[in-house]
Amino acid sequence: MSTALSVNLNKIALIRNSREGNYPDVIAHARTCIEHGANGITVHPRPDQRHIRTGDVRELSSLLLPLGDLEFNVEGNPLAPPRGSYPGFISLVEEVRPDQCTLVPDSDNQLTSDHGFDLTRSADQVAPIIEHLKSLGIRVSLFMDPIEEQIRLAKEVGADRIELYTGPYAAAWGTHQQEEVFQQHYLAAELAMELGLGLNAGHDLNLKNLAMYATIPGLLEVSIGHALTVDAIAMGLSNAVEAYKKILTSA
């Protein structure tokens, strides 16, 4: 079975939020992604609502959840405080009940997620949140670096999956460090399989570096947003989605 493609729509929402109104329409773009082969949609709402807003999450839930063969993945910091009309990440997830919730240890002042959990510090906080979300029938994934100790702790705190942070892999692409970083992820994937953890991956994967990464054993899903949105400017969204799917089905 090929690796699933979940398209992250944050950058579509970011463009929309630069003007008044609803253009581009996030929900319409989600439909286009689905029509051209995406296996799911990912969003990462933040308290400042700089891109995806709470209303988007609710609308996407209404669109996707009745479609049983498509996944709705909501990412975010489970410890983020509410702000303004933002109800708090966990409250929002409790309301919409996505197929998957990916917990990410980012802060408001980060441009984007740039590191995985340090569960030696946060396991006691994260474990009860995972237990609660799983009790609601939501699959839980933790955003992680390819570090053996941390992956073992992810299993201990009850995660169903981990999402390997692929930013360093993308940064090493085309350099003498490429193979070394790839092997770190390869070994992390083997460990996840050994522990019974499902494996996702995401961050800065693109049309150049995805094919190699897709050979990682046990890779169930990749979440791609920024690069796919950039490619859509040149190729069109439908062609971009199809290009990423072709790589994943050929791996």
Side-chain angles (χ1 to χ4, degrees):
M1 186 175 70
S2 63
T3 302
L5 171 66
S6 186
V7 177
N8 188 315
L9 295 176
N10 280 16
K11 291 301 165 65
I12 301 297
L14 183 69
I15 297 170
R16 176 201 60 193
N17 293 356
S18 68
R19 293 288 188 274
E20 297 293 333
N22 188 40
Y23 183 74
D25 185 329
V26 171
I27 308 305
H29 279 69
R31 289 194 181 98
T32 298
C33 292
I34 293 164
E35 290 167 0
H36 291 272
N39 305 104
I41 297 295
T42 291
V43 291
H44 187 149
R46 288 180 166 87
D48 61 11
Q49 299 196 71
R50 72 185 85 155
H51 34 60
I52 287 293
R53 298 169 177 160
T54 53
D56 299 323
V57 179
R58 295 182 178 112
E59 287 190 62
L60 286 166
S61 176
S62 297
L63 171 68
L64 293 166
L65 293 186
L67 305 175
D69 58 339
L70 293 168
E71 178 198 82
F72 186 31
N73 175 44
V74 180
E75 300 181 339
N77 186 346
L79 308 176
R83 174 187 295 177
S85 61
Y86 183 83
F89 178 71
I90 295 299
S91 296
L92 184 59
V93 171
E94 289 170 336
E95 177 187 343
V96 301
R97 306 286 180 96
D99 302 290
Q100 178 173 268
C101 179
T102 301
L103 304 182
V104 182
D106 61 349
S107 62
D108 277 2
N109 59 3
Q110 289 177 230
L111 285 175
T112 185
S113 306
D114 61 11
H115 63 278
F117 277 99
D118 179 358
L119 293 173
T120 62
R121 296 174 177 268
S122 59
D124 291 344
Q125 293 174 289
V126 172
I129 295 171
I130 294 173
E131 182 180 9
H132 173 59
L133 294 176
K134 290 173 68 171
S135 76
L136 301 177
I138 301 168
R139 183 173 69 240
V140 181
S141 179
L142 293 183
F143 197 64
M144 303 295 295
D145 299 308
I147 300 171
E148 178 179 348
E149 177 189 20
Q150 296 293 339
I151 294 171
R152 292 188 182 278
L153 287 171
K155 177 65 175 181
E156 290 181 16
V157 298
D160 299 300
R161 295 187 183 184
I162 59 170
E163 178 178 332
L164 287 178
Y165 168 48
T166 52
Y169 164 78
W173 183 259
T175 75
H176 68 281
Q177 294 179 312
Q178 175 181 319
E179 184 61 28
E180 177 185 354
V181 176
F182 176 75
Q183 287 302 320
Q184 291 172 354
H185 283 251
Y186 199 99
L187 293 173
E190 290 185 326
L191 176 60
M193 291 178 63
E194 176 187 318
L195 296 172
L197 286 166
L199 183 67
N200 300 338
H203 206 89
D204 290 339
L205 295 173
N206 59 39
L207 290 174
K208 293 181 179 179
N209 61 36
L210 180 59
M212 180 177 184
Y213 201 89
T215 65
I216 292 281
L219 184 61
L220 298 174
E221 172 186 310
V222 292
S223 175
I224 303 177
H226 181 84
L228 193 150
T229 304
V230 173
D231 290 325
I233 295 171
M235 303 170 62
L237 181 59
S238 57
N239 290 332
V241 172
E242 290 173 2
Y244 280 89
K245 278 293 295 182
K246 182 177 181 180
I247 292 172
L248 294 172
T249 55
S250 301

